Amino acid sequence: MTQLSERPQQRVVTADGLRVAGLQKSYGPVPVLHGVDLAVPAGALTAVLGRSGCGKTTLLRLVAGFDRPDAGTVSIGGREVAGPGGVASPEDRRIGYVTQEGNLFPHLTVAANVAFGLPRRARRARFGVSALLELVGLEPSYAKRYPHELSGGQQQRVALARALAPEPGILLLDEPFSSLDVELRESTRRAVAAALAAAGTTAVLVTHDQAEALSLATRVAVMRDGRIVQEASPAQLYRHPVDRAVAAFVGDVVVLPATLRGGVAECALGGLRVAAALADGPATVLVRPEQIALDAGDGGVPAHVLDIEYYGHDAVVRLALGAAVEVTARCPGYALPAVGERVRLAVQGEVGVEVTGAPVP
Amino acid sequence: MWRSRQGVLRSGIARVVTATVAATALTASLAACGGASGPTLTLYNAQHQDLAQAWIDGFAKETGIAVEVRRGGDFELANQILAEGDASPADVFITENSPALSLLSSEGVLAPLDQATLAQVPARFNSGAGDWVGIAARSTVVIYNPSLIAPDQLPKSIIELSGPQWKDRIGIASGGADFQAIASAVYTVNGDAVAEQWLTGLAQNAKVYQNNIAIMKAVNAGEVPAGVIYHYYWYKDRAESGQDSSNTELEYFDKKDAGAFVSVSGAGVLKSSQHAAEAQRFVAYMSGVAGQQILADTDALEYTVGDGVPQNPALRPFSELDPPDVDLNTLNGPKIISEMQRVGLL
Amino acid sequence: MTSTAPRPVATLRRPYPPVRLAAAVAVAALTLVPLGYVLIFVVAEGPSQAADLLLRPRVGELLRNTTALTVTGCLACAVLGTGAAWLVERTTLPGRRVWTALMAAPLAVPAFVNSYGWVSVTASVQGFGGAVLITTMSYYPLVYLPVAAVLRGMDPAFEDLSRALGNGPWRTFFRVVLPQLRPALLGGVLLVGLHLLAEYGALQALRFPTFTTAIFDLFESTFNGPASTMLSGVLVLGCLLLLVGELRLAGRARVARVGGGVARAAVPHRLGARTPLALLGMAALAVLALGVPLGSLGRWLVVGSSTEFPIGLLATTTATTIGLGVAGAAATCLLALPVAWLSIRHPGLVSRLLERSTYIAGSLPGIVVALALVTLSVGYLPTIYQTATLLVAAYVILFMPRAMVSLRAALAQVPPELDDSARALGARPAAVLWRVTLPLVARGLGAGAALVFLAVVTELTATLLLAPIGTATLATEFWSNSSSLAYGAAAPYALLMIIVSAPAAWLLTRQSRREVVA
């Protein structure tokens, strides 16, 4: 299919695939979005991560045009589609939309579904349907089947192909994997990510699953209570979360009070390196369990093992430092301590710091 | 390419339109050729359909004019004509009894009939204003079941029916125009005071049936000893199989009692008619020799009224009837309706 | 397969699409024409005139008769319909499929044909007792079908728990089963009540005067006089009372989907030694409801002295009936679309009001609607007076609720996310309707059309008043013959009516398998 493969060369590089500024939305007396700012780079997959009720689906619907914002602007590919000057309807925005259930048209075959958004002549010719099906990892023979004859994962793939067919400026995915069985989820995720990368379409994926966001996306925006609280690469987000809530959301975290002095945080686990240059004073450090090593030798902090949860490939170990402080550590499954054993702890790598008021660079 | 598509579209539409117009013209011309040679009359008919159809068929054979029929009751159609006003599609109106025609006459919606038409029927069967003519007549009778009531117990006057001895023993079809005509005769013959009392008493006594045939069947089956109907229902049934009248007999009132009332079935032409000439012809036909002969020959078994046509020999001779002298123009239809509402029959 | 993510409140607050809102308002306005006419007339006449026309002993008698018939008939239908449904669906009664078909079959036999079948055999069926018997036999399927559907899909766990707690079978039925049946039962009883208020042909033949028969009698004497419209006002009041009562008692659970799958099927109650008794009861019901009318019909076809088969007339009448049925079904479904669409996709006060108003209008008796349309067209719209257009308009007003129920149920099963997906793919709102929504509701639309067709074929009073000159339907021809007591001549028309309405009745029973119809 020539169009899609030619696209990277032909595309005019715009600054952002999507830019949202100051977006506000309330439903009646209940405010849902409190001023959302988001810039999504073109050609890549960005995840919006947040719990249920944080407003991420509302954000997506506003970007798609199914609802009007109370304030703020939305620009897709440099063109303003919602703002003080007016609001474009969804059919004019050149978006692709994949819902949680896929929502294939039950009365149409797979091929007719995929071709739905194409102009009438292209639709009749089933233009490019086989190529799109291959892109999402389905055999072209599936074209004649009906949606109810497909598995959930296959339906989602077809939904993606359908959304890609009219070459949208941006693709919006609303928790597309959460209704799938766990076994299907992984394979479908990988297929979708590969298809998006091959197509080179700007994509925004909304999800509550942090593993999904961290593994699929090149940028992740964490949303809480109607605001974006941190937007960064997955690694940056994981290692340097802006506050303990974000830290706890994307993984397990050990929270310890500390004092900053000259770039080093002194806490119960010793002096820890922090990434940012911050002013001296009290702070809270956010340590990941896998950063805590149990075989530090004499320089380490003494602790004894309270209990172990064994998962096969690794284990979560609960340790007590003295009387008051408890931490959890993760260690590989082949090097487990015994319960009650005395060990020495050390933290590897930089840790995140939560400082109230001070922004993280 | 778009333009030529438009062109194709346009010529396509043009072709369809031309074809439709041609087809319509062809059909219209065919219809004009082979169909009726004149306009179609619209008849509002309250008479029995078989009798009216016999007249329609005879008229069509003689003149080639077709007639379309709307069926209904006397007052239903009369009030409908009044409500429709000038826009009424009716050309001719035929009733079973005369009060409905008198109502229309008093409202001035009937056209004057040709003198020749009126001359075909004795004046006492026609409208005093010359705007409707009698075409058939029927006599009020009491039908009774001899096994339930002896002939000497039968009433000598229709007024007796409001007496307590008739409680649940007399059947009437109060919802129909027939009974309403008979009641209006009672009011005219006996005066309002007596008639009001009679109607009140009758309302308490009578068992109400849907129509005269239902009364006949009920009397025959022994559900009720007697009923008030018109004569021809009995004769018609006897002429067929008699299965609904074999257990019954008729009793005629006499001595010019209101119960001997002979009701006249009439026909008139509407002033609003678009086909006045043809309508007049139809009315003239029905009241003329040909139409009256048809009435005498069919098994409608109503009395003919036209001059020079003998009665159907199966009937009791008209000269033996002793009806009261009632000026048909004085039978007040709307008053009867409100009276019947007063006593609770409607 | 329902959406697991909580839908934001947003979808309930979208602005109404203007064209569809305008269409829905126009349709609702059309259906309210008869109601408006009656109300305006009654108010214009003034209280003293109303008192004159209404405070008469005759009206008191009509009120007594109508109320007694409605209450008794509804009760009888409720008991019979529920009892029969219980026996068929929840016990070991043999021959279940046969009984299911037999219990629903009276839907194909109009009530006036039913009473004709009885009256032509014996006159003792006239009066109150006969009226209750015949109307109950004609209308109990309206209770049977929805109750049977609910019983079929009911979770037996509640009954088991109740029995485990020591309640006997009767107590369990009244305290556990009946409350679950309430919406379906009340919906069916409401329909029965509305039918009873509107019944004319059956009651006229049985010589049992009610408001509707009196209005018709007055019409035959005065055409559109004030008395008939006044009585119509009282009738309208009765219908509104029924509607309000049902709303209060049944609550908002009108259409529920039975199809989510029950945990396990209920174990049928063993009848054991009582099986012959149950079979006898069911057989008696079938004989009374179907056997007598159909048998009498057959007898008249064969033996009747006035039986004739004027093929030409029968053919044209059947063709007219089918033509009117198809036209009525098409018009009603088309006009029901915007109102149904709005009520499902944009639930809110306005769309609910619009839907309710069409439902109210459809509850009015045919005679009231026809009378209103006659008077209005004679006075103000002479061009459509006495045309098939006016008749079809009456059908639309009368039968829109039937189309609406099917259409709403079908629309409710189409997830709104499909609309969103289609719009995101670039389809304009009209294209979404045409390419996505309509193909998916086609089946429900078909069921609604069949329901309306069935209703039009068996409709009598409005057709009698509004049919154009020279137009006769099977129902009106049957009626004119049976009123003249020419039973044999009437029989072929009755047979044709049953044949023509049988497929639609079958569809109605199939549809009620999938859901509870209110």
Side-chain angles (χ1 to χ4, degrees), chain A residues 248-267:
Chain A
F249 192 46
V250 295
D252 295 333
V253 65
V254 176
V255 179
L256 294 170
T259 315
L260 283 174
R261 207 169 288 131
V264 172
E266 294 288 338
C267 69

Side-chain angles (χ1 to χ4, degrees), chain A residues 206-269:
Chain A
V206 156
T207 180
H208 63 270
D209 184 337
Q210 78 273 17
E212 195 170 293
L214 295 178
S215 62
L216 293 182
T218 53
R219 302 284 295 174
V220 178
V222 177
M223 197 163 173
R224 191 168 70 224
D225 293 334
R227 283 187 193 83
I228 304 278
V229 291
Q230 185 172 3
E231 194 235 325
S233 69
Q236 185 75 2
L237 184 71
Y238 188 77
R239 292 211 213 99
H240 304 117
V242 70
D243 61 27
R244 77 181 75 182
V246 173
F249 192 46
V250 295
D252 295 333
V253 65
V254 176
V255 179
L256 294 170
T259 315
L260 283 174
R261 207 169 288 131
V264 172
E266 294 288 338
C267 69
L269 284 173

Side-chain angles (χ1 to χ4, degrees), chain C residues 1 5 18 28 42 46 70 80 83 146 159 170 194-195 198 245 252 263 292 308 312 321 358-359 364 399 416 500:
Chain C
M1 274 237 246
V42 167
T70 310
L80 269 180
E159 291 159 74
W170 283 105
L194 291 175
H195 275 95
R252 298 200 55 210
V292 170
E308 45 194 32
T321 307
T358 65
Y359 198 74
L364 297 180
F399 303 132
V500 169

Side-chain angles (χ1 to χ4, degrees), chain B residues 145-146 216 220 234 237-238 241-249:
Chain B
N145 190 323
M216 182 169 65
N220 191 50
W234 189 87
D237 194 71
R238 283 295 173 99
S241 58
Q243 64 177 20
D244 291 325
S245 59
S246 49
N247 300 330
T248 65
E249 294 297 332

